[in-house]
Amino acid sequence: MQQSSDSERPVSWHQQFQQSKALEQALLNHVSDNIDELAYFVYDLNALKSHLHFLQNQDVVKLWYAVKANPLSRIIQTVDQASIQFDVASSGELQQVLNQGVDAKRILNTGPAKSRAQLAEFLAKGVNTFVAESPNQLKWLNELATEFSVKPEVLLRVQLQWPDGEKNPLGGNQVTPFGMSVEAWQKYHVSQFPQLNICGLHIFQWGNMLSNKKMYDLWQQMVEPLVTLSQSIGMTLKVLDLGGGLGIDYHEQGEQLDWQDIIADLAKVKKQANVEELWLELGRYAVANCGYYVTSVVDKKVNFDQQQLVLSAGINHLLRPGITEQPFPVRLLRPSMEVNANFDLHGPLCTSLDKLGCLPLPIDVDVDDRLLFGYVGAYGFTESMPFFLCHQTAAEYVFSGHELILVREAKPAQWYLA
């Protein structure tokens, strides 16, 4: 495949929304007869298909979709149609992907907590590619491979430490449960696990990177220690899995990554490491841009000279701002010609943690207005905390063609309370 032209570069969520007049009109006109629908997610499948085609239009890297970003059935089906593979980290994710008709041979099992029972379940369901995080996982896989008469492909996950106190959401220089150090893996040899095809290394411990240069520098630093490790343990290094971590410009500071530069950098890394395949596990970068979240203003006030809006829902539906201090960008759904002011956006929970950010909105925003949050295709519904204070769950819709389609309806607290 040939690389896409610059003119096909993905646009920001504002541009994408403005270009989709049909979606805008559908949201403006949307009124649910479900009294429990105080907020909803909507995923633009038209935009997602276009974006995935853009990402696939290259021949340098094999793409996997990290299902943790958004496991909705219609999202998985759209990813499947783009011929992207699937990275799953739990039995629930595995079954959800299989339920969409995906071949188990296109599934990679990641995640730090792989018990022997879980590994057996994955093998029984036809999964043949695994990331091993520990010697125990290698031992169990080797035993199970004998029982199942298979020889699964296995990548060892390596954890590096970076100079100058490099920090990131997956640990930075902290010791995490994700894989082991080069020194720890060097105590083992691939010949100890004859039933496994140990053919690659997995390295990923950064998140939401927004600098092409910084990402390339990190990738380059990894090559030498990983190649050295593969040689010392008797591995023929065929696959290098660089994980994900490609960022989204939540703060809207003009820091969008350039996919063309990423592909060019990866081609250099592939040559430097001398591997047959490079893998990337995209979650946020694959689906964030297609998703929106809509909720309404319940109250408006000025408190200690600070403008405040209280919303129908907050971190009970959008937890990510509360744990990363990266708010999802927002706009007023209806048109307004007024100037913007910064508003603190709070949800309904009885905790000061329930804050979606301090963000600019037109000064005429008022009670009953609807707000539209962007980049919510990833880490929205299934990363939320809907049970605290017994509020309603959010609904989920997809926009396909020119139609808004309900996939999951909003539910009252009685749906999950015992």
Side-chain angles (χ1 to χ4, degrees), residues 3-32:
Q3 292 184 23
S4 303
S5 67
D6 288 349
S7 62
E8 298 176 86
R9 198 169 292 169
V11 297
S12 73
W13 78 284
H14 284 295
Q15 293 170 313
Q16 181 172 287
F17 185 69
Q18 289 167 347
Q19 290 171 6
S20 181
K21 295 301 180 184
L23 173 59
E24 181 180 13
Q25 199 59 49
L27 297 187
L28 285 169
N29 294 339
H30 176 65
V31 179
S32 174

Side-chain angles (χ1 to χ4, degrees), residues 122-171:
F122 274 62
L123 284 170
K125 292 181 176 179
V127 176
N128 197 56
T129 310
F130 297 82
V131 171
E133 310 266 350
S134 71
N136 275 333
Q137 291 180 14
L138 283 179
K139 173 178 173 288
W140 296 330
L141 264 176
N142 194 67
E143 294 169 351
L144 290 165
T146 302
E147 293 177 23
F148 283 88
S149 299
V150 294
K151 191 163 187 174
E153 289 188 343
V154 178
L155 279 64
L156 307 182
R157 182 158 185 176
V158 182
Q159 185 175 152
L160 299 178
Q161 289 187 312
W162 305 100
D164 304 321
E166 184 74 37
K167 299 295 181 185
N168 58 70
L170 290 181

Side-chain angles (χ1 to χ4, degrees), residues 323-340:
I323 58 177
T324 65
E325 297 183 352
Q326 289 178 333
F328 291 102
V330 69
R331 63 185 291 167
L332 188 60
L333 184 55
R334 65 168 172 82
S336 173
M337 300 300 292
E338 297 293 334
V339 297
N340 284 347

